[in-house]
Amino acid sequence: MQNIINGIRRYYPVSDASLALLFSKMKKAELPKKHLLIRGGVIDRHVYFIEKGFARSYCLLDGKELTIWFSREGDITFTMKDLYHNEPGYEYVELLEDSTLYAISIEELNQLYETNIEIANWGRVIHQECLLYMDQHHISRLFLPAKERYLQLVRELPDIIQRAKLIYIASYLGITPQHLSRLRAEKLFF
């Protein structure tokens, strides 16, 4: 579970004892590439920790998939409405690689938030950092040219080019796959 430990401690210095408590509540799942981990409109009362693998979160708009997030080793994935409001979420989460995940029920995670200050602080910090990232991503989609958005994504997730399909990356950036192909052809890497 080293990737998960590193992912948690990237946000907050959770002790070994608190991690052991968190891990004691988790269930391991090994799932294949293309597995739909979470379905929009269906309640899924779990938070998934990714030890190995890569996933994308997306929404459907008029039957079209719009990628809203990528998750990889050390990250967590879930639906926001499930986590925050106990309602079916609108997100779908698809595994893009064979994956090893650890799931914890939202109820058990909330109990840990109430009884363990380190887990509670980690939860607070990871959610505020993700909110800030989402805000910056939204602003960049509104104001930055496509080339700058692409370069920013490659800096933040350098392995994304090998791990995600072009169509998913283009959707995430808010551009067409053809435009992304042209950008990639410019050999923008340093």
mmCIF file of all heavy atoms in Angstrom, residues 57-75:
data_model
loop_
_atom_site.group_PDB
_atom_site.id
_atom_site.type_symbol
_atom_site.label_atom_id
_atom_site.label_comp_id
_atom_site.label_asym_id
_atom_site.label_seq_id
_atom_site.Cartn_x
_atom_site.Cartn_y
_atom_site.Cartn_z
ATOM 1 N N SER A 57 -12.614 10.074 -14.585
ATOM 2 C CA SER A 57 -13.978 10.390 -14.198
ATOM 3 C C SER A 57 -14.579 11.199 -15.337
ATOM 4 O O SER A 57 -13.905 12.059 -15.917
ATOM 5 C CB SER A 57 -14.009 11.217 -12.912
ATOM 6 O OG SER A 57 -13.413 10.503 -11.854
ATOM 7 N N TYR A 58 -15.825 10.897 -15.636
ATOM 8 C CA TYR A 58 -16.477 11.641 -16.708
ATOM 9 C C TYR A 58 -17.969 11.791 -16.431
ATOM 10 O O TYR A 58 -18.536 11.094 -15.594
ATOM 11 C CB TYR A 58 -16.240 10.982 -18.076
ATOM 12 C CG TYR A 58 -16.867 9.620 -18.254
ATOM 13 C CD1 TYR A 58 -18.136 9.477 -18.823
ATOM 14 C CD2 TYR A 58 -16.182 8.467 -17.899
ATOM 15 C CE1 TYR A 58 -18.708 8.225 -19.010
ATOM 16 C CE2 TYR A 58 -16.747 7.212 -18.081
ATOM 17 C CZ TYR A 58 -18.002 7.092 -18.639
ATOM 18 O OH TYR A 58 -18.560 5.856 -18.813
ATOM 19 N N CYS A 59 -18.568 12.722 -17.135
ATOM 20 C CA CYS A 59 -20.014 12.961 -17.085
ATOM 21 C C CYS A 59 -20.556 12.778 -18.486
ATOM 22 O O CYS A 59 -19.820 12.903 -19.469
ATOM 23 C CB CYS A 59 -20.310 14.400 -16.643
ATOM 24 S SG CYS A 59 -19.713 14.795 -15.023
ATOM 25 N N LEU A 60 -21.834 12.512 -18.575
ATOM 26 C CA LEU A 60 -22.500 12.422 -19.873
ATOM 27 C C LEU A 60 -23.315 13.684 -20.097
ATOM 28 O O LEU A 60 -24.074 14.107 -19.231
ATOM 29 C CB LEU A 60 -23.425 11.206 -19.925
ATOM 30 C CG LEU A 60 -22.740 9.843 -19.920
ATOM 31 C CD1 LEU A 60 -23.781 8.733 -19.882
ATOM 32 C CD2 LEU A 60 -21.830 9.683 -21.135
ATOM 33 N N LEU A 61 -23.145 14.279 -21.266
ATOM 34 C CA LEU A 61 -23.917 15.456 -21.662
ATOM 35 C C LEU A 61 -24.425 15.201 -23.068
ATOM 36 O O LEU A 61 -23.623 15.093 -24.004
ATOM 37 C CB LEU A 61 -23.054 16.719 -21.609
ATOM 38 C CG LEU A 61 -23.743 18.011 -21.983
ATOM 39 C CD1 LEU A 61 -24.889 18.325 -21.005
ATOM 40 C CD2 LEU A 61 -22.759 19.163 -22.008
ATOM 41 N N ASP A 62 -25.723 15.038 -23.188
ATOM 42 C CA ASP A 62 -26.333 14.709 -24.483
ATOM 43 C C ASP A 62 -25.680 13.472 -25.106
ATOM 44 O O ASP A 62 -25.406 13.437 -26.311
ATOM 45 C CB ASP A 62 -26.250 15.897 -25.445
ATOM 46 C CG ASP A 62 -26.989 17.115 -24.929
ATOM 47 O OD1 ASP A 62 -28.036 16.934 -24.259
ATOM 48 O OD2 ASP A 62 -26.527 18.242 -25.190
ATOM 49 N N GLY A 63 -25.387 12.480 -24.274
ATOM 50 C CA GLY A 63 -24.797 11.233 -24.743
ATOM 51 C C GLY A 63 -23.299 11.294 -25.003
ATOM 52 O O GLY A 63 -22.685 10.303 -25.385
ATOM 53 N N LYS A 64 -22.699 12.449 -24.800
ATOM 54 C CA LYS A 64 -21.267 12.635 -25.044
ATOM 55 C C LYS A 64 -20.518 12.582 -23.716
ATOM 56 O O LYS A 64 -20.938 13.191 -22.729
ATOM 57 C CB LYS A 64 -21.037 13.995 -25.722
ATOM 58 C CG LYS A 64 -19.610 14.283 -26.072
ATOM 59 C CD LYS A 64 -19.484 15.629 -26.767
ATOM 60 C CE LYS A 64 -18.037 15.962 -27.017
ATOM 61 N NZ LYS A 64 -17.861 17.293 -27.574
ATOM 62 N N GLU A 65 -19.408 11.839 -23.690
ATOM 63 C CA GLU A 65 -18.587 11.729 -22.480
ATOM 64 C C GLU A 65 -17.653 12.929 -22.360
ATOM 65 O O GLU A 65 -16.906 13.236 -23.281
ATOM 66 C CB GLU A 65 -17.751 10.446 -22.513
ATOM 67 C CG GLU A 65 -18.578 9.188 -22.497
ATOM 68 C CD GLU A 65 -17.753 7.925 -22.575
ATOM 69 O OE1 GLU A 65 -16.500 7.995 -22.583
ATOM 70 O OE2 GLU A 65 -18.364 6.842 -22.636
ATOM 71 N N LEU A 66 -17.706 13.598 -21.203
ATOM 72 C CA LEU A 66 -16.827 14.728 -20.922
ATOM 73 C C LEU A 66 -15.931 14.366 -19.744
ATOM 74 O O LEU A 66 -16.411 14.242 -18.609
ATOM 75 C CB LEU A 66 -17.651 15.978 -20.600
ATOM 76 C CG LEU A 66 -18.609 16.436 -21.694
ATOM 77 C CD1 LEU A 66 -19.501 17.555 -21.177
ATOM 78 C CD2 LEU A 66 -17.841 16.872 -22.918
ATOM 79 N N THR A 67 -14.665 14.179 -20.000
ATOM 80 C CA THR A 67 -13.723 13.803 -18.948
ATOM 81 C C THR A 67 -13.515 14.982 -18.018
ATOM 82 O O THR A 67 -13.217 16.101 -18.458
ATOM 83 C CB THR A 67 -12.391 13.336 -19.561
ATOM 84 O OG1 THR A 67 -12.650 12.213 -20.407
ATOM 85 C CG2 THR A 67 -11.388 12.952 -18.482
ATOM 86 N N ILE A 68 -13.675 14.734 -16.709
ATOM 87 C CA ILE A 68 -13.536 15.814 -15.725
ATOM 88 C C ILE A 68 -12.356 15.616 -14.778
ATOM 89 O O ILE A 68 -11.990 16.541 -14.058
ATOM 90 C CB ILE A 68 -14.841 15.995 -14.913
ATOM 91 C CG1 ILE A 68 -15.236 14.694 -14.219
ATOM 92 C CG2 ILE A 68 -15.954 16.517 -15.801
ATOM 93 C CD1 ILE A 68 -16.401 14.821 -13.256
ATOM 94 N N TRP A 69 -11.753 14.424 -14.766
ATOM 95 C CA TRP A 69 -10.686 14.171 -13.798
ATOM 96 C C TRP A 69 -9.947 12.909 -14.183
ATOM 97 O O TRP A 69 -10.526 11.994 -14.758
ATOM 98 C CB TRP A 69 -11.299 13.992 -12.414
ATOM 99 C CG TRP A 69 -10.356 14.135 -11.263
ATOM 100 C CD1 TRP A 69 -9.677 13.132 -10.626
ATOM 101 C CD2 TRP A 69 -9.995 15.337 -10.593
ATOM 102 N NE1 TRP A 69 -8.925 13.636 -9.616
ATOM 103 C CE2 TRP A 69 -9.096 14.995 -9.559
ATOM 104 C CE3 TRP A 69 -10.343 16.676 -10.762
ATOM 105 C CZ2 TRP A 69 -8.540 15.935 -8.702
ATOM 106 C CZ3 TRP A 69 -9.788 17.607 -9.909
ATOM 107 C CH2 TRP A 69 -8.906 17.237 -8.897
ATOM 108 N N PHE A 70 -8.662 12.859 -13.845
ATOM 109 C CA PHE A 70 -7.862 11.642 -13.960
ATOM 110 C C PHE A 70 -7.342 11.297 -12.574
ATOM 111 O O PHE A 70 -6.949 12.194 -11.815
ATOM 112 C CB PHE A 70 -6.674 11.841 -14.913
ATOM 113 C CG PHE A 70 -7.074 12.002 -16.351
ATOM 114 C CD1 PHE A 70 -7.109 13.251 -16.947
ATOM 115 C CD2 PHE A 70 -7.411 10.894 -17.123
ATOM 116 C CE1 PHE A 70 -7.470 13.409 -18.275
ATOM 117 C CE2 PHE A 70 -7.779 11.037 -18.457
ATOM 118 C CZ PHE A 70 -7.805 12.299 -19.029
ATOM 119 N N SER A 71 -7.326 10.029 -12.248
ATOM 120 C CA SER A 71 -6.820 9.556 -10.955
ATOM 121 C C SER A 71 -5.811 8.450 -11.211
ATOM 122 O O SER A 71 -6.011 7.609 -12.085
ATOM 123 C CB SER A 71 -7.961 8.993 -10.097
ATOM 124 O OG SER A 71 -8.995 9.936 -9.941
ATOM 125 N N ARG A 72 -4.749 8.456 -10.422
ATOM 126 C CA ARG A 72 -3.705 7.439 -10.586
ATOM 127 C C ARG A 72 -3.214 6.985 -9.231
ATOM 128 O O ARG A 72 -3.793 7.330 -8.204
ATOM 129 C CB ARG A 72 -2.578 8.001 -11.437
ATOM 130 C CG ARG A 72 -1.932 9.242 -10.852
ATOM 131 C CD ARG A 72 -0.917 9.783 -11.790
ATOM 132 N NE ARG A 72 -0.394 11.046 -11.293
ATOM 133 C CZ ARG A 72 0.586 11.680 -11.845
ATOM 134 N NH1 ARG A 72 1.152 11.203 -12.914
ATOM 135 N NH2 ARG A 72 1.012 12.813 -11.343
ATOM 136 N N GLU A 73 -2.121 6.241 -9.234
ATOM 137 C CA GLU A 73 -1.587 5.689 -8.005
ATOM 138 C C GLU A 73 -1.459 6.758 -6.919
ATOM 139 O O GLU A 73 -0.941 7.839 -7.169
ATOM 140 C CB GLU A 73 -0.201 5.054 -8.246
ATOM 141 C CG GLU A 73 -0.202 3.820 -9.093
ATOM 142 C CD GLU A 73 -0.188 4.067 -10.600
ATOM 143 O OE1 GLU A 73 -0.136 5.244 -11.031
ATOM 144 O OE2 GLU A 73 -0.238 3.063 -11.338
ATOM 145 N N GLY A 74 -1.975 6.417 -5.743
ATOM 146 C CA GLY A 74 -1.911 7.331 -4.609
ATOM 147 C C GLY A 74 -3.107 8.262 -4.499
ATOM 148 O O GLY A 74 -3.270 8.945 -3.494
ATOM 149 N N ASP A 75 -3.956 8.301 -5.523
ATOM 150 C CA ASP A 75 -5.123 9.179 -5.524
ATOM 151 C C ASP A 75 -6.346 8.451 -4.975
ATOM 152 O O ASP A 75 -6.348 7.230 -4.836
ATOM 153 C CB ASP A 75 -5.436 9.660 -6.945
ATOM 154 C CG ASP A 75 -4.407 10.621 -7.501
ATOM 155 O OD1 ASP A 75 -3.640 11.208 -6.703
ATOM 156 O OD2 ASP A 75 -4.363 10.789 -8.733
#
